[in-house]
Amino acid sequence: MSEQRKKRRKTTLSAKAGSESSERVEQGFESHTAIDEYENLATTTHVMEEVLEVENLKEAVKRVMQNKGAPGLDGRTVDDLPAYLAANWTTVRKQLLEGTYAPQAVRRVEIPKVNGGMRQLGIPSVIDRFIQQALQQVLQRHWDPQFSRYSYGFRPGKSQHQAIKQAQEYVCSGLRYVVDIDLEKFFDKVNHDVLMARVAKRVSDKRVLKLIRAFLNAGMLADGLVKPTEAGVPQGGPLSPLLSNLLLDDLDRELEKRKLRFVRYADDCNVYVATPRAGERVMQSITMFLSKKLRLKVNEQKSAVGRPWERKFLGFTFTIERQARRRIAPAALKRVKDKLRELTSRSRGRTLEQIVEELKIYLRGWTGYFGYCETPSVLNKLEQWLRRKLRCLIWKRWKTSSTRYQRLRNLGLSSLDAREGAGNGSKGPWRMSNSPQMKKAFPPKYFRTLGLPELRCLVTA
């Protein structure tokens, strides 16, 4: 760089630094100019300086605040983050630049899994969550372009729906068998040395390598004691999804090298083949590859070679016809019915309007995902079933024949229809909820006026 160019750059950076230092950054830290020493912030040698860029830190604070989340071991919430940074950022930043920052242990939280059992989460402290987020943003920019196009989990511009669509295209192309690979307790069993070897191939900044290793080894508070974490990538931190994608990128590359048709979302991986024999060969060889190369174990009970319409992927499965359509997996339908039963339970003491409001919030989110199916009849049946549940709830609350007769009359039924409906109480609430009288008193239009959303396919292409 010429002397004149250096002088111009120094003047520009000095002016920028002076402007930034004149105002307090809203999130609780101030700008620093140590980063100015380096010509190329994209080089892997100086990743830490890139992480500590003011704009990157602002974005990290914004993301952490938006994502909310439970407090970590120190009890601080995301709302405490700006004040904590205002008081401590200079010290924290110095430790990060010197490679001496020591993360706190994570707090263990267990949540029920969709298919039973408990999922173990590790909740970092809010300051560690902020640092992980800042680091993740920089590493994601450098690493993501190198990942496979068939990896869809936790990546910018990628989604579960895209993964399901890709799987559907494989099935429609004639690949009518799927190798459904389930990794046994993946996030709990990641080998730290294997993972760090992959990180070291992409990052030469020793401070970043040391920091990532420190996050992996920070330990977890369980039963009042901090236990060391010798393996695994604790779910709950912003960095974990990116690290899991980095490790499983080896699997993606292996599948691509073999010219196999696959789709992966996080640790859910499906490979599509033309024959069951080919499927068994793939299952055996990939199981061996994962064990020897990545030290990961395939869950033999949950993994199998089968027909795409007999297996599920991200809550969906497919119809059997040649031009397979997306449909909601039976297990997912069972889960939504269980949730709707819970929300419409008479013991919860909610008014009908309150119940419908809760159903509206839940079903909008549910339909936003499962409305991607291409089988509207399934949604129509679910909608009919839900209306019947609500009519059943109403019938139970009326209790006596006289109350039932009067309410049916008030809803516009003739005296004969109301008398016939009220006199059939011995048939039981569930049967009565499907009676002509209750259907006439509470048609679909009635529930729509209360705000109950219609369930319909949102995407058909």
Side-chain angles (χ1 to χ4, degrees):
M1 182 183 290
S2 68
E3 195 65 33
Q4 188 176 6
R5 185 182 171 191
K6 284 183 179 180
K7 186 176 181 180
R8 283 201 308 268
R9 185 173 187 273
K10 185 176 181 181
T11 302
T12 302
L13 291 172
S14 297
K16 182 180 177 182
S19 174
E20 289 176 342
S21 62
S22 65
E23 58 180 4
R24 192 66 165 170
V25 177
E26 179 183 355
Q27 287 82 355
F29 48 79
E30 293 180 346
S31 61
H32 293 265
T33 56
I35 197 171
D36 299 347
E37 301 172 23
Y38 302 98
E39 286 290 324
N40 185 2
L41 304 181
T43 60
T44 60
T45 309
H46 303 121
V47 173
M48 187 60 77
E49 280 72 23
E50 192 174 352
V51 170
L52 297 177
E53 281 186 320
V54 172
E55 291 306 315
N56 187 58
L57 296 175
K58 286 182 180 180
E59 180 63 22
V61 170
K62 180 180 175 182
R63 294 280 184 89
V64 171
M65 299 287 286
Q66 286 176 341
N67 293 337
K68 302 294 183 182
L73 199 59
D74 59 6
R76 291 191 181 91
T77 67
V78 293
D79 293 330
D80 300 325
L81 180 58
Y84 182 87
L85 289 171
N88 300 281
W89 178 241
T90 301
T91 301
V92 172
R93 180 180 180 280
K94 183 173 182 292
Q95 291 172 348
L96 290 170
L97 286 171
E98 293 175 351
T100 59
Y101 182 81
Q104 298 179 42
V106 299
R107 182 171 64 88
R108 187 177 75 176
V109 174
E110 291 185 341
I111 61 172
K113 286 184 178 180
V114 170
N115 298 321
M118 301 298 291
R119 185 184 305 280
Q120 185 172 281
L121 301 182
I123 308 300
S125 67
V126 69
I127 182 63
D128 287 341
R129 215 177 307 168
F130 161 68
I131 294 170
Q132 284 194 37
Q133 180 65 42
L135 182 58
Q136 184 267 353
Q137 290 167 184
V138 171
L139 296 181
Q140 181 106 48
R141 286 199 297 269
H142 288 303
W143 296 354
D144 192 78
Q146 304 167 16
F147 290 157
S148 169
R149 60 176 290 194
Y150 302 108
S151 165
Y152 292 87
F154 311 110
R155 297 183 61 193
K158 299 273 190 175
S159 70
Q160 290 171 298
H161 285 171
Q162 290 175 349
I164 296 159
K165 178 67 173 176
Q166 180 64 68
Q168 181 183 17
E169 290 177 3
Y170 290 145
V171 176
C172 292
S173 73
L175 301 175
R176 309 288 277 180
Y177 290 87
V178 59
V179 184
D180 188 353
I181 300 170
D182 183 273
L183 297 176
E184 186 175 287
K185 296 182 178 179
F186 169 72
F187 286 95
D188 298 332
K189 294 192 174 181
V190 169
N191 183 283
H192 288 175
D193 291 335
V194 173
L195 174 59
M196 289 306 302
R198 272 71 185 164
V199 177
K201 287 180 180 179
R202 291 164 173 80
V203 177
S204 55
D205 190 326
K206 293 183 179 179
R207 298 163 300 179
V208 171
L209 296 175
K210 185 178 178 182
L211 180 61
I212 294 175
R213 174 74 80 165
F215 279 127
L216 294 174
N217 295 337
M220 180 177 293
L221 179 68
D223 303 322
L225 297 173
V226 175
K227 299 178 180 179
T229 47
E230 298 174 352
V233 180
Q235 297 182 74
L239 201 53
S240 299
L242 179 62
L243 293 178
S244 67
N245 271 336
L246 176 63
L247 182 64
L248 291 175
D249 186 58
D250 277 31
L251 172 61
D252 299 340
R253 291 174 184 271
E254 180 68 16
L255 294 171
E256 288 179 340
K257 186 173 73 174
R258 300 184 189 189
K259 295 182 170 28
L260 291 168
R261 303 293 183 263
F262 74 97
V263 56
R264 182 177 65 79
Y265 190 94
D267 57 333
D268 288 330
C269 183
N270 280 2
V271 183
Y272 293 84
V273 295
T275 67
R277 186 176 177 182
E280 293 297 340
R281 285 200 305 267
V282 170
M283 177 66 81
Q284 184 177 5
S285 61
I286 292 302
T287 298
M288 188 177 300
F289 171 84
L290 288 167
S291 175
K292 290 188 175 180
K293 187 77 180 288
L294 301 182
R295 300 189 195 178
L296 296 172
K297 185 177 180 181
V298 171
N299 188 326
E300 295 181 1
Q301 293 182 334
K302 295 183 178 180
S303 301
V305 177
R307 295 289 200 172
W309 46 89
E310 295 171 350
R311 307 296 296 178
K312 62 182 177 65
F313 181 57
L314 301 177
F316 285 83
T317 184
F318 303 101
T319 58
I320 196 170
E321 62 254 37
R322 187 170 187 82
Q323 289 303 310
R325 291 174 295 150
R326 302 182 294 271
R327 65 184 179 93
I328 303 169
L333 280 173
K334 181 182 181 302
R335 285 195 301 274
V336 70
K337 281 191 170 185
D338 289 343
K339 181 63 176 179
L340 295 177
R341 285 190 185 97
E342 177 189 327
L343 292 175
T344 56
S345 172
R346 185 172 56 152
S347 63
R348 297 180 67 240
R350 300 287 198 276
T351 66
L352 182 62
E353 290 75 15
Q354 288 172 330
I355 290 172
V356 170
E357 185 63 28
E358 291 175 335
L359 289 171
K360 181 168 63 175
I361 294 170
Y362 173 74
L363 288 173
R364 279 179 178 168
W366 186 87
T367 308
Y369 183 74
F370 285 103
Y372 192 61
C373 74
E374 296 175 309
T375 51
S377 61
V378 174
L379 295 181
N380 291 337
K381 288 178 181 178
L382 180 61
E383 193 175 334
Q384 292 168 10
W385 177 87
L386 176 57
R387 288 197 297 266
R388 186 174 178 182
K389 285 291 294 178
L390 292 171
R391 290 195 298 267
C392 181
L393 172 67
I394 294 167
W395 182 262
K396 286 178 180 179
R397 287 183 171 178
W398 284 349
K399 295 184 179 179
T400 66
S401 296
S402 59
T403 300
R404 289 164 182 164
Y405 173 81
Q406 190 59 52
R407 294 296 174 85
L408 289 173
R409 288 286 287 148
N410 293 342
L411 288 164
L413 269 66
S414 68
S415 178
L416 180 62
D417 283 344
R419 189 178 301 111
E420 185 177 351
N424 287 332
S426 60
K427 291 183 178 180
W430 185 244
R431 284 186 64 186
M432 283 306 302
S433 66
N434 205 37
S435 67
Q437 293 82 12
M438 287 296 285
K439 283 184 174 180
K440 187 175 181 179
F442 299 100
K445 183 179 178 181
Y446 174 86
F447 294 107
R448 285 199 295 271
T449 59
L450 290 179
L452 190 69
E454 295 180 82
L455 305 182
R456 55 181 74 208
C457 295
L458 303 178
V459 181
T460 56

